[in-house]
């Protein structure tokens, strides 16, 4: 079976985790990746472990990793290393787009600050008439709503976009769709997530987007914060961010699938520890409803405490990417949420 060629947009915490996991899957091949300063691409495929180990900027890091591999392997590897384009540029998304013959699918691991940033990237690809499968891990309700407005454009480009395909929304929202099946009426869906990361700088966008949910903050204010501002805020709470009543797209995605009628029936909150890798609390999805016999009960889905944010976001995203390829093969195009299809399992 031919491998599916993937471009990853964003090479931060989740982009690098994606490269590592793609490297462990025989069905997938990483052929392009970018960060805000440049792109690395190769028709022959990139070395996922070289991407995963980069500390600073992607292009310099990839060049250095390739040079040391070539030195270690001797002259025979030089041809492989020079097949790779690793270039700094001002418009990495545009450069990836112009190399669209190199990949069949795109995993979007970009920050979504401001809210319209990722919908704007999808619009750009659709307007260029690139027929591809996209999967994103968007979180905000307003961002996912904006994306759905592009459905006709995406259909015209004969593309498939699966949105909100991380952990929440993503795996936990999909679990709620399954849980709802036991009930004649769903009353509430409560998602409480726990994430522990040893160093916030490995996941800058995730942390800024979480800060935007704190009382008194907004997407715009979090976007404008310098790293020093973020450090100062985290210092006040020993690195802990506790978030309640988050604006998470689990609500519109569950409404779309018919699980709930009103958005306020979904409540999302969580605790992020930005200084310790151990999860501060377990991640749970609890759906409460009434059965046809009139009994009230709850189903609960609990993630294993040893599973990291990266495992629970990128695993589902790649599973949904495979579902997106399945849809495209069948001639079904447009934008769908993570609650509308089950993810598949990528080997
Ligand atoms: P990060 O800050 O670590 O990395 C972002 C990457 O995008 C960096 O490599 C940066 O250089 C690159 N980038 C920024 N602007 C760019 C541009 N204009 N062109 C090209 N590249 C650009 O981010 P992260 O912590 O890995 O998070 C990525 C996204 O994942 C965030 O939007 C976050 O909200 C989302 N996320 C979703 C879930 C979920 O469960 N759904 C969980 C965690 C994170």
């Amino acid at each position: 079976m031919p491998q599916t060629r993937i471009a990853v947009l964003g090479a931060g915490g989740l982009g690098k985790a994606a490269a590592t996991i793609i490297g462990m899957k025989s069905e997938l091949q990483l052929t392009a990746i970018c960060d805000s300063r440049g792109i690395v691409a190769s028709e022959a495929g990139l070395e996922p472990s070289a991407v995963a180990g980069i500390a600073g900027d992607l292009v310099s890091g990839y060049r250095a990793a390739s040079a040391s591999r070539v030195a270690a392997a001797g002259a025979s590897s030089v041809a492989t290393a020079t097949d790779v384009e690793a270039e700094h540029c001002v418009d990495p998304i545009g450069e990836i787009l112009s190399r669209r013959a190199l990949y069949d699918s795109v995993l979007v691991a970009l920050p979504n600050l401001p809210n319209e940033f990722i919908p704007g990237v999808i619009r750009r690809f659709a307007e260029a008439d690139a027929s591809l499968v996209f999967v994103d891990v968007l979180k905000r309700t307003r961002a996912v709503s904006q994306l759905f407005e592009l459905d006709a454009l995406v259909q015209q480009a004969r593309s498939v976009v699966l949105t909100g395909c991380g952990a929440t929304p993503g795996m936990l929202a999909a679990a709620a769709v399954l849980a709802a099946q036991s009930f004649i009426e769903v009353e509430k869906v409560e998602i409480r997530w726990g994430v522990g990361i040893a160093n916030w700088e490995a996941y800058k966008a995730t942390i800024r987007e979480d800060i935007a949910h704190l009382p008194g903050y907004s997407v715009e204010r979090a976007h404008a914060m310098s790293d020093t501002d973020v450090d100062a805020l985290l210092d006040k709470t020993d690195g802990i961010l506790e978030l309640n009543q988050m604006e998470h797209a689990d609500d519109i995605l569950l409404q779309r699938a018919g699980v709930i009628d009103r958005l306020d029936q979904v409540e999302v909150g969580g605790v992020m520890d930005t200084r310790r890798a151990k999860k501060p609390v377990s991640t749970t999805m609890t759906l409460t409803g009434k059965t046809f016999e009139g009994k009230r009960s709850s189903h609960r889905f609990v993630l294993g405490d040893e599973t990291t944010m990266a495992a629970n976001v990128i695993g589902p995203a790649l599973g949904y990417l495979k579902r997106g390829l399945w849809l495209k093969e069948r001639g079904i195009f447009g934008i769908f949420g993570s609650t509308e299809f089950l993810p598949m399992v990528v080997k």
Side-chain angles (χ1 to χ4, degrees):
M1 189 185 148
Q3 284 181 310
T4 297
R5 300 166 310 155
I6 303 193
V8 175
L9 305 185
L14 291 177
K16 285 191 196 117
T20 305
I21 299 175
I22 290 167
M24 298 166 97
K25 303 279 185 182
S26 60
E27 292 178 355
L28 304 177
Q29 185 186 35
L30 179 68
T31 52
I33 183 162
C34 69
D35 69 0
S36 60
R37 297 176 55 196
I39 64 145
V40 181
S42 169
E43 198 176 351
L46 299 171
E47 185 56 59
S49 59
V51 175
I54 294 170
D57 105 82
L58 173 72
V59 171
S60 313
Y62 198 89
R63 282 185 190 153
S66 303
S68 58
R69 257 203 328 279
V70 169
S76 61
S77 310
V78 172
T80 319
T82 52
D83 280 346
V84 176
E85 284 183 276
E87 304 296 337
H88 286 114
C89 53
V90 288
D91 177 20
I93 304 285
E95 293 297 325
I96 292 271
L97 177 52
S98 71
R99 287 164 181 77
R100 63 181 182 263
L102 295 183
Y103 49 89
D104 321 297
S105 58
V106 180
L107 190 155
V108 185
L110 295 166
N112 195 42
L113 295 168
N115 264 332
E116 52 276 12
F117 181 61
I118 290 175
V121 169
I122 300 290
R123 173 187 284 281
R124 213 172 152 186
F125 276 85
E127 283 175 347
D129 215 25
S131 172
L132 291 162
V133 171
F134 296 85
V135 67
D136 71 51
V137 295
L138 275 176
K139 291 201 283 199
R140 285 252 175 195
T141 306
R142 273 172 296 165
V144 170
S145 307
Q146 281 181 28
L147 194 62
F148 278 125
E149 287 168 18
L150 303 176
D151 185 50
L153 190 65
V154 167
Q155 285 193 46
Q156 224 171 51
R158 301 177 71 77
S159 283
V160 176
V161 178
L162 284 162
T163 186
C165 298
T168 163
M171 180 161 53
L172 296 177
V177 180
L178 288 181
Q181 307 305 322
S182 302
F183 302 98
I184 205 82
E185 186 197 333
V186 171
E187 294 173 339
K188 196 150 192 66
V189 177
E190 283 174 277
I191 292 172
R192 291 291 299 170
W193 53 261
V195 170
I197 50 178
N199 163 23
W200 83 269
E201 298 203 353
Y203 292 97
K204 285 187 177 178
T206 301
I207 301 304
R208 278 201 175 74
E209 288 173 40
D210 282 345
I211 288 173
H213 289 277
L214 290 172
Y217 285 79
S218 64
V219 171
E220 294 69 28
R221 185 170 171 200
H223 188 32
M225 285 171 83
S226 67
D227 287 1
T228 318
D229 295 338
V230 174
D231 277 331
L233 175 71
L234 295 175
D235 271 345
K236 287 191 200 152
T237 59
D238 188 27
I240 305 277
L241 291 173
E242 180 154 2
L243 304 156
N244 292 298
Q245 310 274 354
M246 297 177 81
E247 183 214 313
H248 253 224
D250 304 77
D251 56 7
I252 49 166
L253 294 173
L254 286 170
Q255 191 181 49
R256 228 176 130 88
V259 172
I260 47 143
D261 298 320
R262 299 183 330 271
L263 298 186
D264 67 3
Q265 288 173 279
V266 179
E267 206 179 307
V268 181
V271 184
M272 165 76 79
D273 188 338
T274 60
R275 296 196 171 158
R276 288 151 286 255
K278 190 175 183 305
K279 271 189 198 185
V281 293
S282 297
T283 296
T284 56
M285 184 288 300
T286 310
L287 178 141
T288 303
K290 269 198 207 124
T291 67
F292 76 101
E293 303 101 328
K295 298 229 167 71
R296 175 174 286 121
S297 189
S298 298
H299 283 335
R300 178 170 277 196
F301 181 67
V302 186
L303 301 190
D305 284 344
E306 300 75 14
T307 60
T308 57
M309 176 174 80
N312 293 321
V313 173
I314 300 302
L318 293 175
Y320 279 107
L321 186 133
K322 185 165 175 179
R323 177 61 71 196
L325 292 159
W326 184 94
L327 289 167
K328 188 164 176 275
E329 258 172 44
R330 282 158 183 76
I332 301 169
F333 307 113
I335 306 194
F336 308 98
S338 52
T339 50
E340 292 174 82
F341 294 97
L342 277 179
M344 295 173 83
V345 172
V346 184
K347 297 289 180 203

